[in-house]
Amino acid sequence: PWACRVSEWGKTSAILGTKESIGAAVVPPAGMTSMEVILRLQGLLGVEPMIAQCPNVMSISLGNPGQVVHPGLMYGKWREWDGKPLQHKPLFYHGADEHCASVLIGISNDIQAVCSKLRKVYPGFDTTQVKTIFEWYTTSYSYSQSSEDASNLHRALTTNSSYKGLCHPMKGDEATGYTPDFQFRYLSEDVPTGLCFSKGVAELLQVKTPTIDKVMVWCQAKLGKEFLTPEGKMAGKDVSSTRAPQAYGVTTQQELLDFLGAPCAMDIRRSVALAVCAGAVVVAMAGVIRRWQQQR
């Protein structure tokens, strides 16, 4: 709900910015409706951010902005780092360059391709709440108040006042210099719980994800993990520690669709056949009525 940082561990934090809206998918307990759960959550948060109900849990996972922004900016900043300590901590958002923004757009486009294929194989499946990363930024924060310029993603990142002063996760101090902390949650959490999920779904749907692939290969090397194999498959030795469908035994497109509750091919063929038969009956009845009217 907020852009925030810890002030005193376990006691206080500083809220740097409040999002205007936040998505939530609900599987309500027995005796409650989804709206009742949403209203209870809204009561805990207050007026802002406004909770927007998402149609399914898949929308939350594919639409997770952290999997795009955090690994993407880390890759964009440090992919060519020479290993030498820096004198100062670089800014995380406000220090992003055009290349960093292009990486985020590439990851976002890969995820949109997954959504497109998902709608193709499961007609009617709602992915409208899986926004592009630029759409997410312009709807999540009040850019009339927090951003000087939201004309494109790069400007939206670098002029958002909620991100003022936020630095890359670093180790070290002024005396020894600063080096990037690749074990920070931006990689250690957002890759296995975010990017690995989206990549896993993409693999099941046979969707190519060129930007996700190159970012994941770099990230897993920094983490000392193997999620993707050298062949680019979600079958690395550490995939069991991720949220990828493959970690839970979902290894085919049909198993994914079954989990999502998609109608099977037989049900679809039966529905189509019934619709065709019904249409034929209507046409035949119309012919009978016309002949009866002509005879009169």
Side-chain angles (χ1 to χ4, degrees), residues 33-284:
T33 66
S34 295
M35 184 52 64
E36 287 174 328
V37 176
I38 292 291
L39 290 175
R40 184 167 296 185
L41 290 172
Q42 191 69 65
L44 294 173
L45 291 176
V47 177
E48 286 188 335
M50 180 66 68
I51 297 177
Q53 186 172 355
C54 291
N56 48 66
V57 176
M58 179 69 85
S59 295
I60 295 293
S61 296
L62 289 176
N64 166 21
Q67 68 175 328
V68 179
V69 179
H70 296 153
L73 290 182
M74 290 289 285
Y75 169 84
K77 174 64 179 178
W78 302 108
R79 72 193 186 284
E80 297 179 347
W81 178 51
D82 60 9
K84 297 178 181 179
L86 279 65
Q87 291 184 331
H88 305 285
K89 295 181 179 180
L91 295 173
F92 191 71
Y93 299 97
H94 286 188
D97 58 17
E98 293 280 2
H99 179 266
C100 288
S102 72
V103 172
L104 304 195
I105 292 170
I107 297 174
S108 183
N109 288 344
D110 286 350
I111 294 170
Q112 289 299 314
V114 173
C115 292
S116 179
K117 182 61 177 293
L118 188 55
R119 293 192 300 270
K120 183 177 181 179
V121 299
Y122 185 175
F125 191 78
D126 193 345
T127 62
T128 56
Q129 292 301 309
V130 184
K131 299 179 174 64
T132 68
I133 193 60
F134 182 52
E135 290 171 337
W136 181 84
Y137 267 108
T138 56
T139 57
S140 295
Y141 289 97
S142 176
Y143 271 87
S144 60
Q145 300 176 14
S146 63
S147 182
E148 297 176 7
D149 183 359
S151 58
N152 58 54
L153 180 59
H154 176 244
R155 296 298 295 161
L157 284 168
T158 57
T159 67
N160 186 342
S161 61
S162 298
Y163 293 149
K164 184 178 181 181
L166 296 181
C167 296
H168 274 265
M170 307 294 284
K171 299 182 294 184
D173 52 37
E174 291 184 0
T176 60
Y178 296 99
T179 57
D181 183 359
F182 294 127
Q183 301 303 315
F184 191 68
R185 63 182 175 88
Y186 287 173
L187 296 189
S188 63
E189 293 182 14
D190 287 308
V191 174
T193 67
L195 277 185
C196 285
F197 175 84
S198 295
K199 173 60 183 178
V201 174
E203 183 175 297
L204 297 179
L205 297 176
Q206 298 182 333
V207 175
K208 293 182 179 180
T209 53
T211 306
I212 287 178
D213 291 359
K214 69 180 180 181
V215 171
M216 278 190 61
V217 167
W218 180 86
C219 290
Q220 68 181 19
K222 298 305 178 186
L223 291 169
K225 302 286 186 180
E226 183 190 72
F227 308 126
L228 280 177
T229 66
E231 296 74 31
K233 300 295 184 182
M234 282 299 297
K237 63 181 180 62
D238 297 304
V239 74
S240 61
S241 65
T242 74
R243 285 185 60 240
Q246 290 80 353
Y248 300 91
V250 179
T251 57
T252 68
Q253 176 175 296
Q254 190 56 55
E255 288 173 343
L256 174 66
L257 295 178
D258 290 344
F259 175 79
L260 296 175
C264 67
M266 181 63 72
D267 291 337
I268 294 174
R269 288 195 293 268
R270 187 180 294 115
S271 298
V272 171
L274 289 173
V276 171
C277 289
V281 169
V282 169
V283 171

